[in-house]
Amino acid sequence: MIQLLAADGTRTPHPELDEVLAGRGGDDDLASPQRLRGYYRDMVMIRAADLEATSLQRQGQLGLWASALGQEAAQIGAGHASREQDYLVPTYREHGIAWARGIEPWRLLESYRGVSHGGWDPNELRTHPYMIVLGSQAPHAVGYAMGLQRDGVVGTGDRETDTAVLALFGDGASSEGEVSESFTFSASFGAPVVFFTQNNQWAISVPTSVQSRVPLAQRSRGWGIPSVRVDGNDVLAVLAAVREALDAARAGEGPRFIEALTYRMAAHTTSDDASRYRPSSEEEEWAEKDPILRLRRHLEQLGEIDEAFIARCDEEAHDLAMALHHHIHGMEDPDPADMFTHAYAEPHPIVEAEREQYLEYVAQFEDDAEQTGERS
Amino acid sequence: MSSTSTTNLPIAKAITAGLRDALRADDKVLLMGEDIGVLGGVFRVTDGLHAEFGPQRVVDTPLGEAGIVGTSVGLAVRGYRPVVEIQFDGFVFPAFNQITTQVAKMHNRTNGTVHMPIVIRIPHGGGIGAIEHHSESPEALFAHTAGLRILAPSNAQDAYWMTRQAIECEDPVIMFEPKKRYWVKGDVDPDRRPELSPWQAEIVRPGADATLLAWGPSMPLALESAEAATEDGIELEVIDARSLAPVDYPTIAASVRRTGRLLITHEAPVLGGLGGEIAARISEECFYHLEAPVMRVGGYHLPYPPARMENAYLPDLDRVLDGVDRLLEH
Ligand SMILES: Cc1ncc(C[n+]2csc(CCOP(=O)(O)OP(=O)(O)O)c2C)c(N)n1
């Protein structure tokens, strides 16, 4: 397992990946103190947004929330490892990925509140919609990567335009057939895609050990897809491994697979009761490996962080949570008539007719209300 | 006005011509499927296209229907217009998840920002003496899913033009191709766009006594039945539904208002089939014009039987005429 930061924050050297972090090929230093502080801030921000979303769910403002608590390093690391032009294909728990891509957190809450199914423009934000049907997004990632090959933006040597796809799915989702088919298709065509699994140890109540007889990282090797396992609570290890794999994919070397070992600190979702299947000792053990704490310790060892910075991050995080709170409380329900708008791209007589029917039906009540109003 | 460009082609070759012209017209169009490249597809529908357009545009894929359809979703997000071939109707089910939860819903899910101009070509129906899973009629399963469109050409002209129009459509289209009629020839005019939209039904034979609705592989039977019925002095109006999603209810309802009677025939099992949906809607819309309940003649509620029994399973002339008799008894 690749680890660059031990749980106590100590930095372990890694000749190859250190080079990647240091900015191979003219990149900025991905491990500069300034960057490290940025990752720290990002993780603090999304944790705050995440906790706020959980409390919004408790207040009845969201129907459900899938917390990414504990997975911040895996997501912030992978998100920042991608380049501007890359296309990211997330699941439903990728709040750190979305944050790293500049998607505003309230947009993630929309689908959990039930006001939309996602709704952002994937091409504009270069991020696929959140995916609920496990594994379904993996072949989309491969197809997009096949499109990149046809567009001539793979393996040209131009860092600004060469592009790859980062496909994310959970350890449980990796049991789905579509993930296996995605391995097959990407390997067959040498498509520039990096599969990234956050092995958070559990797929609801079923542990990874039941779903795979070998470490997940070994799975893709049957397809000839090189793979590594990284410490998913180590933002630097994730960053370096994903950057290295994406660079290889961009260079035309074909697909890669990365398993990031992490832990889902919260329940699966706000509807789940993790205490039914998970020993609290396990949670305590993983709390020791907290990704935010670990980076903070590292920065402390470097002498690159002070109380003022930490306080500023906490304050910003608090402001973000407050902003989310106000945004959600002020969020209006969409006009139900809008549900007819985007079923089809081209005119559809049956949808049109049903929309008219709906509007007429609703208008009856408005008429009734007006009449009653007149009488009283 | 007759056009000089008209040629006489089998349905399979009309589709080939449609695919070729679409590939030439738009370099974002690409074909994907099992054995569609060098071999030209198990029915040779893509014959010659690999040689002309190369392996990047006519893609021999690994075996994996979910992979074929799922990657086409990613390609569509990237701006491509994938046309995928499912080898046989019974093999679409591994891709059912991708078609119903992904292809059908991506446009809606992204509030209209992403289009899914994907065409899924499926050889359709029985009567070719095939082994299991090679003769099925799953159109109702897809017609039930909002977000999809379904076309079912029954002749060469429609086969050519529906191929072109399906590829041009910004929505996903499933094209059910009448496999038992792949080698039946008909006139095709690739230079003259038909006046009828692909989403409209066509009255292919006028008649006053009852309306007979069919599509795709059942059309020859419908026409044969209408011909035979004249011997008993019955004039059947025959409609080719052409589009199964959306169904062109205005054309069908107008016909039923004239004839007062409707018989629907399809190969799929009657139970839960598309005929039932059409019957229900026509009953709602044309209740006071109907002289008899809407009737259906189709397959039984059985797995498609082994080939030596399929003639008993599939609607045939006698069963359709029997249906006509029952319809006219009222
Ligand atoms: C096809 C499908 N089956 C079942 C579900 C219900 N479900 C949602 S999440 C989940 C577990 C997923 O575990 P994993 O892939 O490890 O991701 P995690 O939630 O742990 O991040 C299940 C069974 C689903 N969303 N999709």
Side-chain angles (χ1 to χ4, degrees):
Chain A
M1 184 176 75
I2 297 167
Q3 189 186 62
L4 301 184
L5 296 178
D8 66 1
T10 316
R11 180 78 153 79
T12 322
H14 188 295
E16 262 170 67
L17 292 180
D18 286 347
E19 208 184 298
V20 172
L21 286 173
R24 186 181 60 183
D27 279 323
D28 287 346
D29 181 357
L30 289 174
S32 70
Q34 195 194 346
R35 289 282 182 109
L36 293 178
R37 281 193 296 270
Y39 308 141
Y40 175 83
R41 174 181 173 275
D42 283 348
M43 291 199 278
V44 170
M45 296 290 273
I46 60 157
R47 182 167 289 187
D50 200 311
L51 291 169
E52 181 59 32
T54 301
S55 93
L56 283 166
Q57 195 279 334
R58 300 290 181 233
Q59 295 160 30
Q61 294 295 321
L62 303 179
L64 182 79
W65 179 246
S67 168
L69 222 63
Q71 298 180 219
E72 292 88 351
Q75 299 185 359
I76 291 298
H80 284 299
S82 66
R83 295 185 194 271
E84 180 87 7
Q85 67 271 27
D86 291 335
Y87 190 71
L88 272 53
V89 181
T91 64
Y92 46 80
R93 200 193 289 285
E94 245 72 71
H95 317 317
I97 291 286
W99 175 264
R101 296 303 273 187
I103 297 174
E104 305 203 61
W106 61 265
R107 302 221 56 181
L108 310 177
L109 272 54
E110 283 182 342
S111 62
Y112 289 100
R113 185 177 167 88
V115 301
S116 96
H117 287 317
W120 62 72
D121 181 346
N123 281 310
E124 185 199 339
L125 297 168
R126 292 173 312 285
T127 307
H128 210 55
Y130 266 16
M131 186 59 59
I132 303 294
V133 188
L134 293 167
S136 290
Q137 76 279 19
H140 304 179
V142 179
Y144 194 96
M146 290 164 65
L148 296 171
Q149 293 177 306
R150 282 161 179 74
D151 292 343
V153 290
V154 182
T156 69
D158 183 341
R159 273 193 328 107
E160 302 300 318
T161 57
D162 277 352
T163 309
V165 182
L166 183 66
L168 300 105
F169 46 81
D171 48 290
S174 73
S175 298
E176 292 280 353
E178 274 150 285
V179 169
S180 295
E181 290 194 26
S182 299
F183 288 162
T184 306
F185 275 64
S186 62
S188 298
F189 298 121
V193 55
V194 173
F195 301 105
F196 183 77
T197 287
Q198 287 160 76
N199 178 355
N200 65 10
Q201 316 298 326
W202 295 89
I204 310 188
S205 66
V206 181
T208 316
S209 54
V210 169
Q211 310 224 13
S212 188
R213 298 284 291 271
V214 297
L216 288 180
Q218 284 178 22
R219 281 241 185 121
S220 71
R221 293 184 197 160
W223 279 265
I225 298 175
S227 62
V228 292
R229 174 182 255 192
V230 302
D231 184 335
N233 284 14
D234 170 352
V235 71
L236 278 187
V238 174
L239 189 70
V242 176
R243 171 57 67 96
E244 198 271 333
L246 281 170
D247 279 347
R250 269 189 224 98
E253 293 173 24
R256 297 282 194 99
F257 178 68
I258 293 171
E259 176 192 7
L261 269 188
T262 180
Y263 194 74
R264 147 161 80 67
M265 291 300 293
H268 171 70
T269 63
T270 45
S271 306
D272 172 41
D273 175 6
S275 71
R276 284 194 176 211
Y277 53 82
R278 200 165 74 173
S280 57
S281 59
E282 191 180 285
E283 291 166 29
E284 286 154 22
E285 186 192 317
W286 277 90
E288 286 303 305
K289 303 178 188 166
D290 185 274
I292 299 182
L293 197 59
R294 184 178 312 191
L295 183 57
R296 181 158 147 184
R297 285 174 179 154
H298 177 60
L299 280 161
E300 280 165 0
Q301 287 170 19
L302 295 177
E304 291 289 351
I305 200 167
D306 56 20
E307 287 306 321
F309 179 80
I310 291 166
R312 207 160 58 240
C313 287
D314 289 345
E315 207 179 296
E316 272 188 88
H318 175 76
D319 291 349
L320 174 69
M322 285 295 91
L324 261 187
H325 180 93
H326 289 303
H327 196 106
I328 295 304
H329 275 270
M331 196 180 256
E332 305 241 336
D333 282 351
D335 179 352
D338 286 351
M339 71 188 168
F340 294 95
T341 311
H342 296 303
Y344 290 86
E346 296 190 3
H348 191 288
I350 290 168
V351 174
E352 246 342 280
E354 291 187 354
R355 181 171 171 276
E356 289 306 315
Q357 257 173 34
Y358 169 79
L359 291 175
E360 278 168 29
Y361 180 70
V362 175
Q364 278 176 11
F365 294 103
E366 281 161 11
D367 291 349
D368 289 353
E370 262 170 41
Q371 281 166 15
T372 335
E374 273 164 22
R375 256 183 269 125
S376 66
Chain B
M1 205 181 74
S2 75
S3 162
T4 49
S5 59
T6 299
T7 46
N8 197 255
L9 290 175
I11 287 178
K13 291 294 155 201
I15 299 169
T16 315
L19 294 171
R20 178 181 290 112
D21 289 347
L23 282 159
R24 284 184 184 157
D26 182 352
D27 62 14
K28 293 294 184 191
V29 173
L30 73 145
L31 315 187
M32 301 205 296
E34 294 157 7
D35 304 304
I36 68 161
V38 184
L39 178 69
V42 287
F43 289 103
R44 307 293 183 270
V45 172
T46 53
D47 201 16
L49 302 179
H50 184 268
E52 183 174 346
F53 297 96
Q56 291 295 309
R57 303 210 43 214
V58 181
V59 186
D60 266 328
T61 65
L63 284 163
E65 287 73 17
I68 296 170
V69 175
T71 51
S72 77
V73 172
L75 281 155
V77 175
R78 185 72 198 170
Y80 286 83
R81 306 182 86 85
V83 183
V84 312
E85 176 174 301
I86 301 293
Q87 219 157 51
F88 282 90
D89 32 40
F91 306 142
V92 70
F93 298 107
F96 194 73
N97 172 50
Q98 282 293 333
I99 296 172
T100 54
T101 74
Q102 305 300 312
V103 172
K105 296 189 170 70
M106 193 62 81
H107 180 260
N108 190 55
R109 175 187 299 149
T110 59
N111 286 353
T113 58
V114 163
H115 289 189
M116 283 283 113
I118 295 172
V119 178
I120 300 167
R121 299 181 31 241
I122 307 178
H124 180 213
I128 61 165
I131 55 171
E132 200 184 5
H133 305 303
H134 287 66
S135 303
E136 300 184 4
S137 299
E139 59 264 34
L141 294 169
F142 297 103
H144 189 60
T145 302
L148 301 174
R149 294 172 184 268
I150 304 176
L151 293 175
S154 68
N155 57 60
Q157 169 79 351
D158 276 354
Y160 174 86
W161 277 108
M162 284 183 175
T163 301
R164 297 294 309 267
Q165 289 160 325
I167 295 171
E168 286 164 6
C169 183
E170 290 299 322
D171 289 312
V173 180
I174 296 179
M175 206 166 81
F176 280 108
E177 302 173 355
K179 70 165 89 80
K180 122 181 126 189
R181 296 185 30 87
Y182 265 145
W183 304 107
V184 175
K185 285 186 165 185
D187 285 344
V188 177
D189 183 351
D191 287 333
R192 210 178 48 183
R193 206 165 265 273
E195 274 152 38
L196 208 61
S197 125
W199 318 111
Q200 280 177 291
E202 184 176 8
I203 298 172
V204 290
R205 179 185 170 117
D209 298 327
T211 301
L212 177 56
L213 176 73
W215 52 82
S218 300
M219 280 314 295
L221 174 62
L223 288 166
E224 192 191 343
S225 305
E227 192 58 42
T230 57
E231 286 168 26
D232 297 327
I234 303 163
E235 294 298 330
L236 294 178
E237 177 147 299
V238 180
I239 301 183
D240 182 347
R242 299 174 81 245
S243 171
L244 307 183
V247 170
D248 177 8
Y249 288 110
T251 298
I252 300 166
S255 169
V256 172
R257 286 192 194 100
R258 285 194 299 275
T259 64
R261 292 180 166 87
L262 176 62
L263 179 70
I264 304 163
T265 186
H266 55 53
E267 293 191 5
V270 166
L271 193 152
L274 201 50
E277 153 63 18
I278 297 171
R281 192 175 290 243
I282 292 300
S283 302
E284 281 177 24
E285 284 189 19
C286 306
F287 188 67
Y288 291 107
H289 294 88
L290 284 171
E291 308 283 344
V294 179
M295 297 210 176
R296 294 163 290 163
V297 172
Y300 301 108
H301 188 52
L302 297 172
Y304 197 88
R308 297 290 173 141
M309 295 185 255
E310 72 178 338
N311 284 342
Y313 172 88
L314 289 170
D316 61 9
L317 184 62
D318 288 334
R319 272 166 64 193
V320 174
L321 290 177
D322 180 58
V324 172
D325 287 346
R326 284 188 285 124
L327 194 64
L328 286 161
E329 263 168 27
H330 287 267

